[in-house]
Amino acid sequence: MPMTTDVLTAQELKKAAPVFGQLSFNDHEQIVFCNDKDTGLKAIIGIHNTVLGPALGGTRMWNYATEWDALNDVLRLSRGMTFKSAITGLNLGGGKAVIIGDAKTQKTPELMKRFGEFVHSLSGKYITAEDVGMETADMDLVKTVTPYVTGISESLGGAGNPSPITAYGVFMGMKAAVKEVFGSDSLEGRSVLVQGIGHVGEVLVDYITKEGGKVFIADINEARLEEVSKKYGATIFAGDDVYSAQVDVYAPCALGATINNDTIEKIQAKVIAGAANNQLADENVHGKRLQERGILYAPDFLINAGGIINVYAELENYGKDEIIRKAENIYDTTLEIFAKAAAENVTTHQAALKIALQRIADRKAQ
Ligand code: NAD
C-alpha cells in the first residue's frame, strides 16, 4: 500500500483510515458505535461539534446496504446539524444517530430502550430526537431510560412530533425563494414537485395546496401516493424521471444527495427548496453548478430547521407561539442568505455556511 494519502484511492483510504479517513469525516469530535447482541441493536452516534451546546439531532433507522453507508450517513447528518443549529441561533451543537435495520420489521421496544441506554452513557453530550424511521412513541420509550431525549409526546411534557413545524419552516423558505425568483412569494399557480410525502412532505403538500399551488407528488410508497393524492387533490407524478419534471419548484423531502452528478443537469425547476438533509451530494461541486444553471437553492440546513426549533422548546421551555415565530423567521433569514450570496458572489449554501461557522468561531473565541 502506498505510504502517502495523496495517492490512495477512496477505497484504499477507507481501509487505511476507516474512521478519520472517511470522505465525510469533517473534524467530528466523537463517534460512538453501539452494539447489543440481545436486541440486535447496531447503531452509530456521531457527535460533530459541541461548541455551542450539547449535540442534538435525531435518530434515523434505515436498512443501509453496508455499514460504510451508515457511517457515511451519520457523519454527513451530524455535521449538518451543527450548521443548522448555529444558523438558527440555537445554543446547540451538532449530532445525529443511525440505527442499522428495517424500522418496519426490526424496531422493538427493547431495541429502542437499549439504544436509549447508549445515549444515556454519553451523559448529555448527545441528545436524541426522531428522524426517518422513528415516531414520537419511540422517543417516549427512550425517555424511560434517559432524560437526554426530545421530540416526546405532549402528554409527557414534550413538544410533540416536530415534522409539522419542519414543514412550516420549509414552506417559509420556499416562499422566500419563490419571491426571489418570481417577484412574489405567493405559491398560487406555481407548480411544485414534492419528492417524498412522509411526515414532512405531506404537511408541506397541505400548505402549498391551501395557497393555490399545483402539487405533484412522488414517492416509492404507492399506497402513500394514493392516500395523499386523494386527501389533498395532488397529482401523482407520472413521468419517467422526477428530476426532468417541468415545474417551478423541486422540493426534495425524501433522503439526501438527490442533487448529484446523475440528476443535476436534468433539473428543470427554477427553485429547489425541501426538507431533506444534505440534498447536495457534494456541496461545493453541486452548489456551484446549480448557481451556474440559474437554479436558486434554498440551503437545506437553513429551511428545514423547524424540527430542531420544535424540540429545542423542550429544553428551553418556550411555547407554541415562540416555536411558530422562530420557524416563520426562516423566511427572512432565507432572503438574507440570498442577498449575502449575491453580494459576495458565493453559492447560497456557502453563504449560509459562512454565517454558521462565524457564530461557532465567535463562541469559541469568548
Ligand atoms: P419520512 O420517513 O416520514 O418520509 C420520507 C418519505 O420519503 C417516505 O414516504 C418514503 O417512502 C419516501 N422515500 C424514500 N426514498 C424515496 C425515494 N427514493 N424517492 C421518493 N420517495 C422516497 O421522513 P420525514 O420525517 O418526512 O423526513 C423527510 C426528510 O426530511 C428526511 O431527509 C429527514 O432527514 C428530513 N428532515 C425531517 C425533519 C422532521 O422533522 N421530520 C426535520 C429536518 C429534516
Side-chain angles (χ1 to χ4, degrees):
M1 183 169 290
M3 292 303 288
T4 67
T5 53
D6 299 6
V7 287
L8 292 181
T9 65
Q11 282 307 318
E12 286 169 338
L13 186 62
K14 272 187 182 178
K15 274 194 195 152
V19 175
F20 301 118
Q22 274 283 303
L23 295 180
S24 301
F25 185 83
N26 196 288
D27 290 327
H28 288 69
E29 287 179 15
Q30 194 175 359
I31 299 156
V32 183
F33 292 84
C34 317
N35 181 48
D36 183 62
K37 197 163 175 270
D38 292 343
T39 57
L41 175 75
K42 287 208 183 317
I44 314 172
I45 300 171
I47 298 174
H48 177 252
N49 190 291
T50 56
V51 170
L52 294 175
L56 196 156
T59 296
R60 173 173 293 186
M61 186 159 184
W62 193 255
N63 215 357
Y64 293 98
T66 70
E67 289 177 12
W68 286 118
D69 291 342
L71 179 57
N72 189 48
D73 209 25
V74 81
L75 289 172
R76 279 168 62 86
L77 288 166
S78 53
R79 175 176 179 264
M81 291 310 294
T82 298
F83 304 132
K84 188 183 306 199
S85 286
I87 201 159
T88 310
L90 310 180
N91 290 319
L92 292 173
K96 202 89 181 183
V98 296
I99 297 177
I100 301 170
D102 185 335
K104 286 202 184 80
T105 57
Q106 289 170 278
K107 191 168 64 179
T108 61
E110 293 72 30
L111 180 135
M112 287 313 303
K113 282 190 194 170
R114 191 69 188 98
F115 173 69
E117 286 168 3
F118 278 106
V119 171
H120 193 68
S121 73
L122 292 168
S123 307
K125 192 172 182 184
Y126 168 68
I127 302 173
T128 198
E130 52 268 78
D131 191 61
V132 174
M134 288 289 144
E135 308 288 338
T136 306
D138 298 315
M139 294 306 116
D140 293 349
L141 277 170
V142 172
K143 178 79 177 168
T144 62
V145 293
T146 180
Y148 306 123
V149 55
T150 56
I152 54 172
S153 295
E154 290 176 81
S155 59
L156 295 177
N161 176 10
S163 303
I165 295 293
T166 302
Y168 184 61
V170 170
F171 183 60
M172 288 295 118
M174 185 182 289
K175 282 171 78 64
V178 163
K179 182 178 168 65
E180 185 79 6
V181 171
F182 300 106
S184 156
D185 70 10
S186 172
L187 283 156
E188 191 174 0
R190 296 269 156 238
S191 52
V192 183
L193 186 132
V194 181
Q195 179 189 38
I197 41 164
H199 290 100
V200 181
E202 176 178 349
V203 186
L204 184 61
V205 169
D206 189 23
Y207 278 120
I208 302 166
T209 310
K210 280 190 177 134
E211 201 166 286
K214 173 140 186 56
V215 183
F216 295 87
I217 51 175
D219 203 296
I220 48 172
N221 184 333
E222 299 282 334
R224 275 298 285 163
L225 282 172
E226 292 298 333
E227 191 189 331
V228 172
S229 164
K230 260 200 202 114
K231 200 163 161 189
Y232 305 96
T235 307
I236 299 173
F237 179 72
D240 292 337
D241 189 293
V242 289
Y243 304 100
S244 313
Q246 297 284 345
V247 287
D248 295 320
V249 182
Y250 162 48
C253 296
L255 295 185
T258 56
I259 302 161
N260 55 47
N261 288 342
D262 295 333
T263 62
I264 197 159
E265 301 304 330
K266 298 193 253 179
I267 297 173
Q268 300 300 311
K270 284 275 165 256
V271 166
I272 299 180
N277 286 306
N278 301 323
Q279 293 165 23
L280 304 173
D282 182 323
E283 62 192 45
N284 296 318
V285 175
H286 302 116
K288 184 86 191 123
R289 187 65 193 131
L290 287 178
Q291 187 187 28
E292 286 164 2
R293 291 204 54 220
I295 299 170
L296 186 65
Y297 171 69
D300 49 8
F301 65 86
L302 167 66
I303 73 165
N304 73 9
I308 193 99
I309 288 170
N310 198 65
V311 297
Y312 190 56
E314 291 178 24
L315 303 178
E316 295 288 306
N317 287 319
Y318 54 78
K320 271 276 179 259
D321 288 351
E322 181 60 10
I323 292 174
I324 303 277
R325 196 197 61 74
K326 279 187 158 57
E328 222 154 55
N329 203 31
I330 289 175
Y331 179 93
D332 288 339
T333 314
T334 307
L335 285 176
E336 281 163 28
I337 295 297
F338 294 153
K340 183 176 168 68
E344 298 179 11
N345 193 24
V346 295
T347 68
T348 52
H349 184 89
Q350 285 165 336
L353 205 55
K354 270 186 169 187
I355 292 179
L357 286 168
Q358 191 59 52
R359 185 163 174 248
I360 296 167
D362 289 350
R363 179 70 61 86
K364 221 172 172 176
Q366 279 173 10

